[in-house]
């Protein structure tokens, strides 16, 4: 089966409907946000009947959860790769993770919206909850190494550091690193802003300088 959009022919092969629907949902999120990613429209984009998606997904929320789950899996892989086992120093590798966070938000905007703006219940979607926890787990593990490099007296809890730096990265990405018209203007790059924020925060905690 095939369909066309903007003159470009596309299609899915037998047994690949699930992936076609997820791709259609991502396209709709990119164009209209999560509210525009309806079950019926995803089916239309995939060139199938409105009933066909029920072979793979219970409803629209389950479709969006599948998209968000794969997004978190790619996100976790990107963070893990950027961490590079904490080399050459934990502080430098940690800042590199921050840049990877921004890069993912910018280069995978639809995934990022599905992951953080779909409003899905984690309790109702265990696979999504696990993928989200796994992604945060990469940041938490890196924070454990970073905190271990700080002076012993007054050393902060690693979980607190992970949560604070996650909030910093997510805030910069959501406000200033977006790929759409909602991006706020800055007199510097989002990467420079995040690097400065990390420097001030980590210096205040006594983390060794790069």
């Amino acid at each position: 089966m095939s369909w066309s959009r903007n003159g470009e022919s596309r299609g899915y092969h037998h047994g690949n409907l699930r992936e076609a629907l997820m791709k259609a949902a991502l396209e709709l999120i990119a164009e209209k946000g999560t509210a525009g990613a309806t079950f019926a429209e995803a089916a239309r984009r995939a060139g199938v009947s409105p009933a066909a998606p029920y072979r793979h997904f219970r409803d629209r929320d389950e479709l969006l959860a599948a998209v968000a789950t794969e997004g978190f899996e790619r996100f976790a892989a990107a963070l893990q790769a950027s961490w590079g086992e904490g080399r050459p120093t934990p502080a430098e590798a940690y800042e590199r993770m921050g840049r990877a966070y921004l890069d993912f938000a910018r280069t995978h905007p639809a995934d990022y919206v599905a992951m953080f703006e779909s409003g899905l219940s984690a309790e109702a979607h265990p696979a999504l909850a696990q993928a989200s926890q796994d992604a945060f787990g990469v940041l938490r593990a890196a924070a454990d190494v970073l905190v271990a490099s700080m002076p012993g007296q007054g050393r902060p809890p690693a979980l607190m550091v992970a949560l604070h730096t996650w909030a910093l990265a997510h805030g910069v990405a959501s406000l200033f690193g977006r790929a759409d018209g909602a991006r706020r203007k800055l007199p510097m790059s989002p990467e420079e802003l995040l690097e400065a924020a990390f420097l001030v925060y980590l210096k205040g905690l006594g983390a060794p300088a790069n």
Side-chain angles (χ1 to χ4, degrees):
M1 182 173 290
S2 64
W3 71 100
S4 63
R5 178 169 170 261
N6 297 330
E8 182 180 335
S9 178
R10 299 181 295 172
Y12 79 89
H13 300 289
H14 180 70
N16 214 26
L17 176 57
R18 187 177 189 275
E19 290 74 16
L21 289 166
M22 291 173 65
K23 181 179 179 182
L26 271 176
E27 292 176 354
L28 289 166
I29 291 170
E31 296 170 16
K32 306 176 182 181
T34 55
T38 65
F39 219 32
E41 183 62 16
R44 189 189 70 78
R45 288 279 180 101
V48 296
S49 72
Y54 290 99
R55 301 173 193 168
H56 297 281
F57 303 103
R58 180 178 64 251
D59 53 23
R60 169 188 172 275
D61 282 359
E62 193 167 275
L63 171 60
L64 292 184
V67 171
T69 298
E70 285 203 356
F72 272 116
E73 290 170 351
R74 287 192 290 270
F75 183 52
L79 292 180
Q80 188 69 63
S82 68
W83 169 241
E85 298 183 351
R87 297 189 179 97
T89 67
E92 184 172 336
Y94 206 75
E95 290 180 10
R96 196 166 59 232
M97 286 182 70
R99 291 192 292 272
Y101 196 115
L102 296 184
D103 184 64
F104 185 91
R106 181 171 49 247
T107 58
H108 300 85
D111 291 273
Y112 197 78
V113 169
M115 291 155 55
F116 294 109
E117 299 178 18
S118 58
L120 297 172
S121 166
E123 291 76 15
H125 303 284
L128 172 57
Q130 186 62 56
S132 175
Q133 291 170 10
D134 289 346
F136 177 70
V138 176
L139 182 60
R140 170 62 194 273
D144 285 337
V145 177
L146 179 68
V147 168
S149 71
M150 298 178 185
Q153 188 172 3
R155 185 179 289 169
L159 176 59
M160 182 193 77
V161 172
L163 289 171
H164 284 171
T165 51
W166 180 23
L168 276 173
H170 185 70
V172 172
S174 298
L175 289 172
F176 308 111
R178 301 178 67 104
D180 57 24
R183 176 177 177 174
R184 272 69 168 179
K185 293 184 179 180
L186 270 178
M188 64 187 75
S189 71
E191 289 79 10
E192 289 172 330
L193 178 64
L194 184 61
E195 183 178 351
F198 271 22
L199 177 63
V200 171
Y201 177 75
L202 297 178
K203 185 177 180 181
L205 293 177
N210 290 339

